[in-house]
Amino acid sequence: MSNRKQVVEILNQVADLLEIKDVEYKPRAYRRAAREIDSLTEDLTDIHEEDGLEDIPSVGENIAKKVSEILETGKLEYHEELKDEIPVDPDLLKVRNLGPKKVKKIWEELDVTSLSGLEEALKAGKVRELKGFGPKSEENIRKGLQIVQESQGKSHLSEVLPEARRIKKELADSSLFDKVAFAGSLRRRKYEVGDVDILATADDRDKAMDYFTSLDGLQEVLSKGETKSSLRIQTGLRVDLRIVEGDSFGSALQYFTGSQEHNVRLRQLAISKGYKLNEYGLYNENTEEKVAGEREEDMYQKLGLTWIPPELREDRGEIKVAGEGKLPRLIKGEDIKGDLHCHSDRSSDGHIPLEVLVREADKRGYNYLAVTDHAETAGIVGGLTNDEVSEHLGEIESANSQVEGLELLAGVEANIQPDGTLDLSDRALEKLDVVIGGVHSHFDQPRNEMTERTVRAIENPHVNIIAHPTGRKLGERGSFNLDWEKIFDRARETGTALEINASPSRTDLEDKLVKRALEKDVKLTIGTDSHRVNHLDFMELGLNLARRGWCQRTDVLNTLSLSELKGWLAG
Ligand code: DGT
Ligand code: CA
Ligand code: CA
C-alpha cells in the first residue's frame, strides 16, 4: 500500500471505531482529513519531511501528529488501542444498512465481530429478533453482506495497477530478467483481481528469484521455489512470479493469462485439430513435435485463430469469432478525444476549478471536455439551479475564449427523479450542450418502476447520456433491478447514449452489459465522473471496461471529433 493509502485506511478505521463507541464530531474530523489526504497528488512522505502535514486542508495539529506516527512507524498506537477495545472487523461497517449503531448492537448482544459471524447470526434468525431490526432490516443486511463478501479477497484494478507496474518495472530494470509480462486477470484487465501474476524468463533463475523475494515494500514471502515464488506486499496484495524457459514463454503466457474457461475451450479446439495444448507448448498429438511455444501469437495461429486480445478471453464467443477472423478492433487510448463526464468546483462535492479542467484536458490532448456539474435537487445544496445555468454557461464561454484547440462543453448531470423527470426545467436544459441524467436517490424501486423511470429519462429529448446506468457502488450497493432489453431498445431508438462510468467505485456499465448493449446497437460514452484532479486518469479504467465489452472505436461517442460530437448532441 502506498503510504497515502495506509494513512487513509487507518484514519477511516479510527473514525469507524469512534462511531461504534458513539463518540461525537471526532469521526467526521478523521474522515474529512482522510478524504483530503486521499486526494493529494504530492507524495505524503515528502510533505511530512517538509513539515507540511498541517497545511493539508482539514488536517489539524492532532491529526497531523497521528499521520506522522503512521508514516514513521507504519502504525498508530491510538488505532491499536481502539481495536483492542472494540474487537470488531472494520469490514462489518461496509455492509449497507449496518451503521455503527447497529454494529455495536450485534457485537454487544450477539457477539458478532466478523462477516462470517454475521452470516451465521443471520442464518440462525437472530438478527431480526434484536430491538430495532426486524425482518425487513434483516433482508437488507443479508443483501448488503453478500455484496461485501463478493468483493472480499479481491482488489480493484485501480489500486493494483500502479503497484503491479512498479514491481514489473523493477524486475525489468534489474538486468536479471529477460522478458517480464503480466498474466492472469490483471492482463485481462478485470476490474477486480485476486492477485498479480507475473511471468518472466531469466538466465540465472536463482539470482532472479532472490531479487524478487527481496524487493522493497514486502510484507512477507509466502513461498519461494525455483520456478515460482509468491509474495505479499504491504497493501496485502499477493504477487506470483513464474520463471519459464524462453521456448515456452508464449505458451505459458497463454496458459497463465486464462481465463480458465477460455483455456478449457481452447484445449477442446486443440484436441479436435489433433494437437495437445499445455503451458509448455502446442504439440502434434501423433508425432509429439512442438509446433508453437515461444510466441503467444503462434499458439493461436496454429489453431486457425487470430490472436485474441487478453481482455476478450472470457469464453464469451471469442474463440469462434477469432476462427472466422472477425474479432473487433478494440478501442484504444489514442482514440479518445475527450471526457464527457467531469465536475468542476461548482458541484458541492467537486474540487476542480475550470482552469484546471482546461489544463488537464489539454495535457491529455483532448479536443473537448464536458463540464457536467450536478443539478440541484431539493435537499442537496450546491448543485446548479435553473437560474445558475446561465452563469455556468457564461463561465464556460469565458474559459473557452482563453484556450485554443480545446473546447469545454457546458453540461449538467441532472437527477432522474423517482418518476423519471429531471430536476431542471426544459428551458434550462435546452441551453446546455450536454445533458447527462443519472439516478442518485430512491435506489430500491421495484423493477418495473425503475425501468419506467430510466426509460422516461432516455425518452426525454434533452437527455444525451444516461450516467452509471446500473447504479451499483462496488462493495456497497448492487445494481438496480432493470429490464435491460427494454432500456437498450429505447436507448437505440432515441439515440441516447449509455455511459461507461470509469470511476473505480462504480465501474458501470460493466463488461457483460457493454457487450450486450453493442449487440443491440446502443451507443456508449466513457466518462470519468471526475470530482478531483487525479480522477481524470480513470479514463484508462473506462477503456478497459469498453475493451472487455468488445467495443470498437465507432461504438464510443467520445472518439468523435468535436464537430461530429456536436452533430450528435444537436441531433
Ligand atoms: P484472479 O487472480 O482470481 O483474479 O484470477 P486469475 O484468472 O488471474 O486466476 P489465477 O491467478 O488463479 O491463475 C491465473 C491463470 O492461470 C488462470 O486465469 C488460468 C490459469 N490457471 C491457474 N490454475 C489453473 C487450473 O487449475 N486450471 C486451469 N485450466 N487453468 C489454471
Ligand atoms: Ca491472478
Ligand atoms: Ca495467481
Side-chain angles (χ1 to χ4, degrees):
M1 187 161 356
S2 66
N3 291 332
R4 180 168 55 89
K5 287 280 175 214
Q6 192 191 15
V7 167
V8 168
E9 188 169 314
I10 292 179
L11 295 182
N12 276 325
Q13 281 187 17
V14 167
D16 290 342
L17 293 165
L18 289 173
E19 268 184 17
I20 295 176
K21 276 184 66 165
D22 234 349
V23 175
E24 287 192 73
Y25 309 118
K26 271 189 177 182
R28 277 179 55 193
Y30 276 93
R31 268 189 229 293
R32 261 203 306 270
R35 229 181 359 251
E36 290 295 339
I37 291 171
D38 197 24
S39 67
L40 291 173
T41 43
E42 301 129 273
D43 188 78
L44 194 57
T45 311
D46 290 348
I47 298 178
H48 174 44
E49 276 165 10
E50 288 156 20
D51 280 332
L53 290 176
E54 279 186 54
D55 299 334
I56 301 171
S58 301
V59 176
E61 189 187 341
N62 175 40
I63 293 183
K65 258 195 211 140
K66 296 201 159 59
V67 171
S68 57
E69 185 184 330
I70 301 170
L71 290 172
E72 283 162 18
T73 68
K75 59 182 192 169
L76 178 67
E77 200 50 44
Y78 181 53
H79 178 224
E80 300 298 320
E81 282 164 17
L82 282 169
K83 282 200 292 187
D84 288 343
E85 192 184 338
I86 306 161
V88 167
D89 181 346
D91 283 347
L92 272 178
L93 281 156
K94 293 186 188 156
V95 176
R96 199 169 165 234
N97 302 308
L98 201 62
K101 286 213 174 66
K102 287 193 165 165
V103 167
K104 184 175 183 196
K105 192 136 183 135
I106 58 169
W107 164 43
E108 286 178 345
E109 300 200 10
L110 302 176
D111 207 20
V112 166
T113 55
S114 65
L115 293 172
S116 57
L118 176 61
E119 190 177 355
E120 276 172 36
L122 284 166
K123 273 199 192 126
K126 286 186 193 157
V127 174
R128 80 181 82 167
E129 284 164 13
L130 291 177
K131 198 162 165 257
F133 283 67
K136 175 93 183 135
S137 156
E138 182 192 65
E139 187 46 33
N140 287 336
I141 292 170
R142 192 193 308 279
K143 276 191 208 153
L145 173 65
Q146 200 188 342
I147 287 166
V148 174
Q149 280 176 329
E150 277 164 13
S151 64
Q152 286 284 304
K154 297 270 180 195
S155 311
H156 197 280
L157 183 65
S158 60
E159 284 160 25
V160 173
L161 260 181
E163 297 289 334
R165 282 177 172 151
R166 183 178 58 74
I167 291 172
K168 183 177 168 219
K169 184 169 187 312
E170 266 190 61
L171 300 183
D173 288 351
S174 74
S175 79
L176 290 166
F177 294 87
D178 186 12
K179 290 182 186 146
V180 184
F182 290 139
S185 52
L186 178 63
R187 183 165 181 239
R188 305 198 309 278
R189 294 293 192 271
K190 269 188 85 166
Y191 67 87
E192 278 181 325
V193 305
D195 64 5
V196 171
D197 296 290
I198 301 179
L199 199 69
T201 57
D203 286 339
D204 188 338
R205 286 188 183 195
D206 291 345
K207 254 198 188 159
M209 276 302 181
D210 285 344
Y211 186 81
F212 176 65
T213 52
S214 54
L215 283 173
D216 278 346
L218 299 191
Q219 197 180 89
E220 61 178 320
V221 175
L222 298 167
S223 68
K224 186 175 175 191
E226 222 176 288
T227 56
K228 184 186 168 195
S229 298
S230 296
L231 316 170
R232 194 174 296 290
I233 61 171
Q234 270 161 8
T235 58
L237 185 67
R238 185 186 146 128
V239 182
D240 289 350
L241 171 70
R242 292 183 179 82
I243 302 183
V244 300
E245 297 292 346
D247 62 0
S248 294
F249 183 76
S251 46
L253 188 58
Q254 194 292 310
Y255 179 85
F256 290 110
T257 296
S259 66
Q260 202 158 318
E261 294 78 8
H262 171 87
N263 286 355
V264 167
R265 185 83 51 187
L266 197 69
R267 199 167 315 121
Q268 286 168 352
L269 178 72
I271 292 168
S272 77
K273 297 198 167 209
Y275 291 110
K276 197 180 84 184
L277 172 70
N278 59 35
E279 60 188 284
Y280 303 105
L282 184 68
Y283 302 86
N284 184 308
E285 204 196 3
N286 296 323
T287 63
E288 306 237 317
E289 183 203 354
K290 183 165 172 172
V291 298
E294 190 180 345
R295 286 161 27 102
E296 192 185 56
E297 291 89 322
D298 300 339
M299 303 290 292
Y300 286 98
Q301 206 202 355
K302 293 283 181 205
L303 292 171
L305 308 175
T306 48
W307 179 78
I308 302 177
E311 293 93 329
L312 302 186
R313 300 184 195 172
E314 298 291 347
D315 190 24
R316 294 183 188 150
E318 69 278 6
I319 291 179
K320 181 170 176 285
V321 180
E324 297 159 357
K326 289 187 183 150
L327 283 180
R329 288 171 60 163
L330 297 182
I331 183 170
K332 294 195 289 286
E334 67 209 50
D335 296 329
I336 297 293
K337 298 289 190 316
D339 195 333
L340 291 177
H341 189 164
C342 292
H343 295 266
S344 76
D345 54 5
R346 188 180 264 285
S347 297
S348 58
D349 55 354
H351 298 265
I352 325 175
L354 278 188
E355 59 271 20
V356 175
L357 279 174
V358 169
R359 186 189 73 204
E360 293 296 315
D362 190 41
K363 209 163 87 182
R364 289 169 174 75
Y366 289 165
N367 300 132
Y368 47 83
L369 181 141
V371 187
T372 52
D373 283 308
H374 288 291
E376 179 171 48
T377 295
I380 306 172
V381 281
L384 285 167
T385 59
N386 286 317
D387 294 340
E388 282 164 356
V389 165
S390 313
E391 234 176 81
H392 182 54
L393 286 165
E395 280 178 17
I396 286 178
E397 198 178 318
S398 99
N400 276 334
S401 65
Q402 325 257 323
V403 282
E404 267 174 57
L406 166 70
E407 191 167 320
L408 292 186
L409 300 169
V412 70
E413 180 181 15
N415 295 299
I416 303 175
Q417 303 181 109
D419 65 356
T421 57
L422 299 187
D423 60 347
L424 278 179
S425 68
D426 284 345
R427 278 192 53 194
L429 293 173
E430 222 166 58
K431 296 181 197 156
L432 292 153
D433 301 322
V434 183
V435 175
I436 300 182
V439 168
H440 298 96
S441 69
H442 302 81
F443 305 123
D444 294 323
Q445 283 182 329
R447 183 180 169 97
N448 62 333
E449 278 176 37
M450 194 52 108
T451 304
E452 281 315 308
R453 175 184 186 182
T454 308
V455 164
R456 192 162 174 197
I458 288 172
E459 288 171 346
N460 184 322
H462 297 298
V463 172
N464 307 115
I465 302 166
I466 301 294
H468 39 73
T470 80
R472 72 174 181 172
K473 280 278 191 89
L474 290 180
E476 185 187 323
R477 185 169 82 211
S479 301
F480 302 149
N481 199 345
L482 286 168
D483 179 343
W484 285 103
E485 296 301 304
K486 206 169 193 174
I487 302 275
F488 291 148
D489 283 337
R490 290 308 284 148
R492 180 188 61 249
E493 287 155 11
T494 57
T496 309
L498 301 183
E499 177 185 71
I500 296 174
N501 189 293
S503 169
S505 63
R506 293 197 180 266
T507 308
D508 170 14
L509 297 173
E510 68 165 309
D511 43 34
K512 272 189 215 149
L513 282 172
V514 169
K515 184 161 190 279
R516 185 64 192 141
L518 297 187
E519 286 161 5
K520 304 272 285 185
D521 266 332
V522 174
K523 291 293 179 204
L524 301 166
T525 59
I526 305 177
T528 60
D529 205 349
S530 289
H531 286 74
R532 297 195 178 256
V533 64
N534 52 329
H535 295 177
L536 280 123
D537 290 335
F538 293 160
M539 187 56 79
E540 182 190 0
L541 303 170
L543 269 162
N544 288 332
L545 286 171
R547 288 171 61 89
R548 286 180 52 83
W550 296 51
C551 279
Q552 315 205 55
R553 181 176 56 77
T554 47
D555 298 316
V556 175
L557 294 170
N558 40 320
T559 62
L560 296 177
S561 70
L562 178 61
S563 60
E564 288 167 337
L565 181 78
K566 281 186 165 172
W568 170 71
L569 288 168

